[in-house]
Amino acid sequence: SLGRGENSIGGEGDTKNGSASGRRACLYLGTIASLIGLAIAASLNSLHGLWLSMIPGALLQHNFEVYKALLSEYHNDIEELESQAKDSSGEENLHDDSKQSPVSNRSGSVGKLGMSVGISFMIGPMIAAVASPTFQFASYFAIVCTLASGFFVYHLPLPVSSSHTHHDKTSQETKPSQQKKTEFTLINMLKLKTPKSRAAMFCLVIRLNMALAFHIFNTVWPASLKTRFNFGPSDHARFMSFIGITYAFSQGYLAKRLVQMWGKDGKAFVIMACCAVLGAGRYIAYYTESLIVIYATFLFIINALGTMNTVITADTGAIAPSNEVGGLFGILEASQSAAGMVGPFLGGLISHYLGEDAPLIAVVAVYGFLFSFISWGYERYVISSDNDDGKPGRTEVKKSI
């Protein structure tokens, strides 16, 4: 809960910076924070050192959200360049391929980003179980991996839409206002239009409830595995490797194929189906006495979770202009971190006063609410980006510009 509290403080600030160079600076800051935390963990072999090692990363390591914002800007650039090429060639049907629509391409790219995380979840526990004799060795190996990450950050291309050359083309009158937006202050955060739109609020409610359900379930899940199957470190390593490869498959392949199959209008149905699978799957996994059934159930759970995260992340990036997409992802990250603070406490409280099974019932109820909520308004507010409150989404902002 403390780590998530620090996350909620640092997450919005790290992703708020709207300039390309500012986002790269945030990536450097996150990398340095990870290195400091790992160095503390490797040098202080105690519970006190473990607590201290959490602080730098929890406050400043939010690189994954920055990557989401950059990826959204890359797609904005690609769509703008394709539109310019279409206008210059005079061909109305340039790149008009239903199998490779901007919607599915955006979902596919977000999926590949998540797939890299899934592969890491698969490989990391395997390395720890096989090749890491001590915690210090694992920490030093993680430092090497983090340095490699910083090397690739240095060579990361900057998006055209938020580069300085793009801002140089604007008038002198608009420069101060644009520069002001990149400053992280509470006033500037409150001035952002996109997070106040109904589409962004809708995504915020979904993300908040998904995180809340996840953290409530995790208060009882590890103890349940220990009680039923006497799970040890090697069992958890194998289980996490299985989750990693499944998550990589769902985000790298399955999500894009489902969006292509159902199309833009069918995305709400895909997310609703994922909510149903998550609720039913967690219920079955909690009560079964068969380890095989748990693995089979989590095959569906992780695929549903990966697909749902990919589709929602892609749609979230599409509703914000490039100068606000970082702030939107930061606010979503802060809300999920807040759920990470409340969820474990709430799960423990429910379990203590209402019984051991009560947290599971609460989790299923949250997924039931999400199913109804998405059925009611996802297509209306997010997919169509038709904001009745007058707050423009990304498409409307581009038209006004």
Side-chain angles (χ1 to χ4, degrees):
S1 294
L2 289 173
R4 284 293 177 174
E6 293 166 353
N7 250 308
S8 64
I9 297 171
E12 211 287 327
D14 271 4
T15 54
K16 168 67 181 68
N17 200 314
S19 68
S21 58
R23 294 217 173 102
R24 176 175 281 177
C26 288
L27 294 176
Y28 284 138
L29 188 64
T31 302
I32 294 171
S34 295
L35 290 172
I36 294 174
L38 290 168
I40 294 173
S43 58
L44 298 178
N45 189 19
S46 64
L47 185 61
H48 181 66
L50 186 64
W51 278 86
L52 288 176
S53 68
M54 293 171 56
I55 296 175
L59 281 173
L60 301 173
Q61 218 298 10
H62 306 280
N63 287 8
F64 191 67
E65 301 303 316
V66 181
Y67 290 138
K68 290 180 183 178
L70 283 173
L71 194 64
S72 178
E73 289 193 69
Y74 292 152
H75 274 279
N76 292 346
D77 289 346
I78 292 171
E79 291 170 17
E80 184 176 352
L81 290 172
E82 288 181 346
S83 177
Q84 292 175 0
K86 184 189 297 184
D87 294 339
S88 62
S89 63
E91 297 179 9
E92 290 293 326
N93 296 323
L94 185 66
H95 301 293
D96 184 15
D97 186 355
S98 60
K99 295 295 183 181
Q100 295 293 331
S101 65
V103 173
S104 62
N105 284 336
R106 192 180 287 263
S107 298
S109 295
V110 173
K112 290 183 178 68
L113 187 65
M115 182 177 66
S116 65
V117 177
I119 292 174
S120 300
F121 268 107
M122 176 189 67
I123 297 176
M126 293 173 59
I127 296 176
V130 175
S132 297
T134 64
F135 178 74
Q136 282 75 17
F137 179 86
S139 299
Y140 288 130
F141 185 80
I143 288 175
V144 173
C145 294
T146 305
L147 288 172
S149 174
F151 172 80
F152 287 109
V153 167
Y154 177 77
H155 291 87
L156 192 69
L158 298 180
V160 177
S161 55
S162 60
S163 64
H164 291 295
T165 56
H166 178 270
H167 288 294
D168 289 339
K169 295 179 181 178
T170 59
S171 64
Q172 293 293 331
E173 187 178 31
T174 59
K175 276 187 177 180
S177 62
Q178 289 178 349
Q179 291 172 356
K180 187 177 180 180
K181 284 184 179 180
T182 63
E183 299 173 0
F184 173 53
T185 64
L186 180 61
I187 300 299
N188 286 342
M189 184 189 74
L190 295 175
K191 288 180 180 179
L192 292 176
K193 294 182 178 180
T194 304
K196 301 175 187 176
S197 68
R198 292 187 178 181
M201 290 293 184
F202 205 94
C203 292
L204 179 63
V205 172
I206 295 174
R207 284 293 191 187
L208 188 62
N209 280 273
M210 285 177 63
L212 194 63
F214 175 82
H215 289 289
I216 291 176
F217 185 75
N218 272 357
T219 59
V220 295
W221 177 243
S224 174
L225 286 176
K226 179 70 174 177
T227 302
R228 287 179 293 166
F229 306 106
N230 195 27
F231 249 48
S234 60
D235 298 307
H236 278 289
R238 285 192 293 268
F239 190 60
M240 290 302 296
S241 296
F242 171 77
I243 288 176
I245 190 62
T246 306
Y247 195 74
F249 171 80
S250 66
Q251 293 213 310
Y253 177 81
L254 184 62
K256 182 176 181 178
R257 296 299 178 270
L258 287 175
V259 171
Q260 287 178 350
M261 182 185 304
W262 290 94
K264 182 178 179 180
D265 296 333
K267 284 195 291 185
F269 175 79
V270 171
I271 301 175
M272 289 164 57
C274 290
C275 289
V277 170
L278 286 167
R282 294 196 186 278
Y283 184 89
I284 294 171
Y286 186 80
Y287 284 113
T288 184
E289 295 295 331
S290 170
L291 193 58
I292 296 176
V293 174
I294 283 185
Y295 272 88
T297 304
F298 263 80
L299 179 67
F300 289 95
I301 289 175
I302 301 304
N303 274 304
L305 187 63
T307 301
M308 190 173 180
N309 280 331
T310 301
V311 174
I312 293 175
T313 299
D315 287 343
T316 302
I319 65 177
S322 60
N323 65 324
E324 294 191 2
V325 67
L328 178 58
F329 277 120
I331 290 173
L332 292 175
E333 168 69 8
S335 69
Q336 291 176 187
S337 298
M341 282 192 297
V342 176
F345 173 77
L346 186 60
L349 199 66
I350 293 173
S351 178
H352 180 74
Y353 287 103
L354 300 179
E356 294 181 357
D357 297 340
L360 176 67
I361 297 173
V363 168
V364 174
V366 170
Y367 285 123
F369 163 74
L370 284 176
F371 183 93
S372 303
F373 186 67
I374 291 166
S375 174
W376 168 69
Y378 194 83
E379 185 174 354
R380 180 188 307 174
Y381 295 117
V382 180
I383 297 178
S384 65
S385 295
D386 184 13
N387 301 321
D388 296 332
D389 58 1
K391 303 297 182 184
R394 182 178 67 84
T395 304
E396 292 170 326
V397 170
K398 288 180 73 176
K399 287 181 179 178
S400 65
I401 293 174

